[in-house]
Amino acid sequence: MDIVVLVKQVPDTWAERRLSESDYTLDRESVDAVMNEIDEYAVEEALRLKEAHGGEVTVLSMGPERAAETIRKALSMGADKAVHVSDPALHGACAVQTAQTLAAALGTIPHDLVVLGSESTDARLSVMAAMLAEKLGLPQLSGARKVEVDGSTVTIERQTETGFDRVQGSTPAVVSVVEKINEPRYPSFKGIMAAKKKPVQTVTVADLGLDAGSVGLASATSEVVEMTPRPPRQAGQIVKDEGDGGVKLADFLAAQKLL
Amino acid sequence: MASVLVLVEHAEGKVKKVTLELLTAARALGEPVAVVVGAPGSAAPLVDALAEYGAATVVAAESEDVEKYLATPQVAVLADLVAAESPAAVLIASSAEGKEIAARLAIRTGSGILTDAVGVDGDGTATQSIFGGAVVVKSRVRTGTPIVTVRPNSVSAEPAPTQAQTRSVDVTLDDAARAATVLERVVEEKGSRPALTDASIVVSGGRGLGSGDNFALVEALADSLGGAVGASRAATDAGWYPHQNQVGQTGVTVSPQLYVAVGISGAIQHRAGMQTSKTIVAVNKDPEAPIFELADFGVVGDLFTVVPQLTEEVTKRKA
């Protein structure tokens, strides 16, 4: 079973993140960059499915040159090869353009499953699995906390607020995973060394048959028009419990008309 | 006046609160058209509530198929309506499925999408709170029909009673829409508590609780306030509380009227999921805990005495 796993490099969530002042796109330069956390679970799930069913795991990532570090990490975890869509024309691409680009790239890589994380920690749209399924006409098996493959039938447990939905489709399918699904492995020393020799193919939008003018900021389907840092919250009242902390808290809630 | 499509969230014959918030927001943009996608008979019981909040039209898209598929029935119905009516915007609740419906609709109709809006202006510009609430941006859609998902609790629902016209449309699903089927919907825990994402009050517990059993303290406080229960990542990673209750960067983002943090230090990843809450209160034994920087009211003390006292006090005052 051939699996493509999507990974995204994002600013570290422990850092103070910002938009660039000049064009309101994500400032990727001023902060540490890491693999989007949930993508580690996607890579892990892809590797487990490969271990159980055979085949190859190909990493697909769209991002600037620096995203090669994140691709390398996925390879060091055990993925076999990678395709890196990197092109200055993609700067400022919106979600719709990103889906178009990834869909075009998926057209060049054989796949029975496309596995991705349920959301990225930078944009937090949680839309990519649905967009790719719509674009490619494939089953959308999203928000999975469990994935089972039996021949060409894929069944997931989709996490919901009150339990789960069992959702089924046939390969090829798009599967997005939530954090609950597994415990991602750490790259081993051997894995890190092996990753250096694994093939990474870098492609441009032209290589994918896309028009460079249709994929970046200038033609994005949405735009940020204004940005303001959130005003700091006004300092609150902090009291030390003298045996009546609970009562004082209730007094505060009552004064705020919250009781 | 241009119409504004509002996808109705409903369960057990009732309109969810977030839909009333969406209708309120929609009125600034045009004439609200409430779209009910559900099993046969699901629209009729909802009409009065929708009209009460200004729905000029209620579109009933009813089919036995709706429950069998994920997102695609709603997308099919909304795409037909977008083509027929050229609405000023489509508003959808920012739930997991709401965002997926919006995502597919954007691709289907060649439109831009804005998610997790905390406000929508009359011209369709949306306000979004990004990077865990550190930055506020205004965004707009440049292509096609603006498709905007709105975060629950960010707009306060205001009634605007009107007479709603009702009409029915077909739910037409092609093969791609039937590619994934929902075999069953399993409810693992059905309590009387409100759902975390649209609760007005959320009480969350963290590392300070020390064990899963001690979450009973958090649950008791939540029940006295009529709130939902959340947990920090430290607590869900430790297996003390179900993962789906995790509030934070990699969990759920909540924006309630009141957020109560119990034994939570307030690491940046937790703050990312709750710092747009209207009022924040915290109980923690460490006076240096970063949660106190956000708190409107904080008690430095032992949660095992402060929280039961608070629960008792709340119960007494609400009686």
Side-chain angles (χ1 to χ4, degrees):
Chain A
M1 191 171 61
D2 291 326
I3 303 168
V4 176
V5 61
L6 303 186
V7 299
K8 183 181 187 186
Q9 189 178 52
V10 298
D12 193 340
T13 55
W14 293 101
E16 189 164 324
R17 294 165 292 169
R18 51 174 70 97
L19 297 180
S20 125
E21 295 282 349
S22 56
D23 63 2
Y24 298 152
T25 60
L26 181 63
D27 180 349
R28 298 174 191 271
E29 301 305 318
S30 66
V31 287
D32 285 343
V34 297
M35 184 191 290
N36 177 47
E37 188 176 340
I38 304 173
D39 297 355
E40 294 181 23
Y41 297 77
V43 173
E44 176 65 35
E45 198 59 23
L47 295 173
R48 289 186 190 193
L49 288 167
K50 174 195 156 169
E51 283 154 12
H53 302 279
E56 250 191 344
V57 173
T58 305
V59 178
L60 171 60
S61 187
M62 170 178 141
E65 226 169 280
R66 190 182 179 189
E69 301 157 15
T70 285
I71 290 171
R72 203 56 76 180
K73 177 168 181 183
L75 293 172
S76 66
M77 286 173 74
D80 299 290
K81 58 191 174 63
V83 175
H84 182 181
V85 184
S86 185
D87 195 318
L90 289 165
H91 174 78
C94 66
V96 171
Q97 294 171 322
T98 301
Q100 278 162 352
T101 308
L102 290 173
L106 285 165
T108 68
I109 314 167
H111 56 271
D112 300 298
L113 282 185
V114 178
V115 181
L116 66 159
S118 60
E119 72 172 32
S120 64
T121 53
D122 52 357
R124 296 205 75 180
L125 269 67
S126 316
V127 296
M128 205 43 64
M131 284 190 172
L132 289 172
E134 176 72 29
K135 189 93 194 146
L136 300 167
L138 300 183
Q140 174 194 325
L141 304 172
S142 51
R145 66 178 200 185
K146 189 176 179 188
V147 180
E148 283 175 333
V149 177
D150 181 5
S152 64
T153 303
V154 187
T155 311
I156 66 155
E157 282 184 13
R158 170 183 166 89
Q159 182 71 57
T160 63
E161 280 202 11
T162 52
F164 64 93
D165 295 344
R166 285 210 313 129
V167 189
Q168 192 171 75
S170 300
T171 57
V174 178
V175 175
S176 76
V177 305
V178 297
E179 217 181 303
K180 193 178 183 175
I181 195 163
N182 57 40
E183 198 56 54
R185 67 195 68 185
Y186 288 102
S188 64
F189 178 72
K190 207 175 134 198
I192 293 167
M193 296 311 288
K196 293 181 177 171
K197 300 197 191 82
K198 290 177 176 171
V200 178
Q201 185 193 357
T202 303
V203 299
T204 63
V205 294
D207 294 336
L208 297 174
L210 297 169
D211 171 15
S214 72
V215 291
L217 185 61
S219 56
T221 63
S222 60
E223 64 177 345
V224 174
V225 292
E226 203 182 300
M227 158 180 84
T228 39
R230 169 169 291 277
R233 289 185 82 99
Q234 291 203 330
Q237 191 188 350
I238 310 297
V239 301
K240 193 171 179 318
D241 179 33
E242 308 281 1
D244 60 352
V247 174
K248 282 189 171 153
L249 195 35
D251 287 343
F252 172 80
L253 296 180
Q256 300 292 313
K257 301 192 166 39
L258 288 163
L259 286 188
Chain B
M1 189 159 51
S3 64
V4 180
L5 303 182
V6 172
L7 180 64
V8 175
E9 291 224 345
H10 58 99
E12 290 153 8
K14 292 210 172 67
V15 178
K16 289 199 186 170
K17 191 180 70 170
V18 63
T19 299
L20 307 179
E21 297 166 3
L22 259 53
L23 285 169
T24 306
R27 300 201 300 261
L29 290 153
E31 191 175 85
V33 174
V35 183
V36 179
V37 183
S42 37
L46 311 178
V47 173
D48 287 351
L50 297 169
E52 174 73 19
Y53 283 80
T57 307
V58 175
V59 175
E62 300 178 332
S63 161
E64 296 289 358
D65 275 350
V66 170
E67 283 291 297
K68 285 187 233 158
Y69 304 101
L70 195 63
T72 55
Q74 289 84 354
V75 173
V77 170
L78 290 171
D80 286 348
L81 290 168
V82 166
E85 303 208 359
S86 305
V90 181
L91 302 187
I92 300 174
S94 226
S95 58
E97 189 166 5
K99 288 199 258 192
E100 291 175 341
I101 292 165
R104 298 187 73 123
L105 187 63
I107 297 289
R108 183 82 61 93
T109 61
S111 300
I113 175 176
L114 301 172
T115 59
D116 268 317
V118 294
V120 188
D121 295 345
D123 63 355
T125 306
T127 305
Q128 294 162 304
S129 171
I130 63 169
F131 300 148
V135 177
V136 177
V137 296
K138 290 209 169 210
S139 309
R140 68 179 190 97
V141 163
R142 299 200 304 194
T143 310
T145 304
I147 297 167
V148 183
T149 75
V150 181
R151 196 180 280 176
N153 288 321
S154 34
V155 177
S156 52
E158 310 272 355
T162 186
Q163 291 289 327
Q165 303 213 328
T166 305
R167 65 189 167 93
S168 297
V169 297
D170 291 334
V171 181
T172 312
L173 300 181
D174 60 14
D175 287 348
R178 297 173 191 272
T181 49
V182 178
L183 304 178
E184 58 175 337
R185 297 181 191 262
V186 180
V187 175
E188 286 180 310
E189 37 164 337
K190 190 167 173 76
S192 47
R193 289 191 196 109
L196 188 55
T197 43
D198 54 14
S200 306
I201 296 177
V202 174
V203 183
S204 289
R207 197 190 299 273
L209 283 160
S211 78
D213 289 345
N214 290 335
F215 258 82
L217 288 176
V218 173
E219 292 181 332
L221 178 56
D223 291 343
S224 74
L225 289 163
V229 176
S232 72
R233 182 157 185 188
T236 56
D237 277 356
W240 297 346
Y241 218 67
H243 183 269
Q244 58 267 35
N245 294 70
Q246 186 201 318
V247 172
Q249 177 75 62
T250 59
V252 175
T253 299
V254 297
S255 202
Q257 297 294 322
L258 172 63
Y259 188 86
V260 184
V262 175
I264 291 175
S265 65
I268 190 167
Q269 295 197 335
H270 185 74
R271 300 206 304 265
M274 47 64 76
Q275 66 182 340
T276 57
S277 304
K278 307 285 182 304
T279 300
I280 296 171
V281 301
V283 180
N284 201 298
K285 67 174 190 291
D286 175 11
E288 304 297 321
I291 194 74
F292 287 128
E293 292 162 24
L294 290 183
D296 298 290
F297 194 90
V299 177
V300 179
D302 182 357
L303 69 90
F304 294 100
T305 57
V306 175
V307 172
Q309 188 180 63
L310 174 60
T311 305
E312 191 188 325
E313 207 53 36
V314 170
T315 308
K316 204 172 7 173
R317 295 184 194 205
K318 285 185 124 186

